Amino acid sequence: MNWGNKIFLSLGVFMLCIVSAGIYMVSHDTDTLEDTDYYEQGLNYDQVYNKKENVVTYQAKPIVKISQDTLYIEFVHVANKGNLIFKRPSDSSIDLQLPFETNSTLYQLPISSLKKGTWNLEIIWKSGGLDFLTDQQLHL
């Protein structure tokens, strides 16, 4: 086999690999960095902004601590009701939403079943007739 055939064969194999990679990337379109409901989130941004502003205005940011296999959330006010949303940046298929309600300022949640690594915790709650929202990054 002469050098011309080798170059032609190498170029053919290279082009086949590039085309195969392109087909694979298009057919497996799972971009976890893009929210699937970004349009709805844009429409509701004013509500989200007001909830975040309530946290700052009323100095209601909860203190989040992890001790062993338990997540502790200490609220400023008593009688809190809302949702905890655990979002995994690397795999959105294991995201978790948990409702909670507490009559005191402390809420405890066992987290031993959560996968180890980085999580984004979004706390949406209502207390004293006001809506609040805060988010925080957790390392389990």
Side-chain angles (χ1 to χ4, degrees), residues 9-19:
L9 186 62
S10 298
L11 223 71
V13 169
F14 176 74
M15 288 174 50
L16 184 64
C17 289
I18 295 297
V19 169

Side-chain angles (χ1 to χ4, degrees), residues 4-127:
N5 289 340
K6 290 179 184 177
I7 290 175
F8 182 73
L9 186 62
S10 298
L11 223 71
V13 169
F14 176 74
M15 288 174 50
L16 184 64
C17 289
I18 295 297
V19 169
S20 299
I23 291 171
Y24 176 79
M25 290 171 61
V26 169
S27 65
H28 293 86
D29 189 21
T30 55
D31 188 5
T32 58
L33 298 176
E34 180 182 311
D35 289 330
T36 56
D37 60 343
Y38 66 92
Y39 183 71
E40 289 82 11
Q41 288 181 0
L43 292 175
N44 298 327
Y45 184 74
D46 286 340
Q47 295 169 354
V48 171
Y49 180 79
N50 290 335
K51 290 177 185 179
K52 287 183 177 184
E53 278 299 308
N54 283 344
V55 171
V56 174
T57 303
Y58 296 100
Q59 298 176 352
K61 183 170 177 140
I63 299 170
V64 178
K65 294 180 186 176
I66 299 173
S67 179
Q68 297 174 359
D69 287 340
T70 306
L71 175 71
Y72 296 96
I73 303 173
E74 186 176 348
F75 293 97
V76 175
H77 307 291
V78 295
N80 301 289
K81 183 177 182 178
N83 287 316
L84 300 174
I85 303 170
F86 291 90
K87 294 181 180 178
R88 181 75 174 196
S90 61
D91 185 8
S92 64
S93 67
I94 59 173
D95 289 355
L96 183 63
Q97 182 172 345
L98 299 171
F100 75 91
E101 187 171 354
T102 178
N103 292 326
S104 67
T105 58
L106 186 65
Y107 180 74
Q108 299 177 16
L109 178 70
I111 55 171
S112 58
S113 63
L114 291 178
K115 190 175 179 182
K116 301 293 181 199
T118 302
W119 289 84
N120 292 328
L121 172 62
E122 190 173 285
I123 308 171
I124 303 169
W125 78 101
K126 188 173 215 160
S127 178

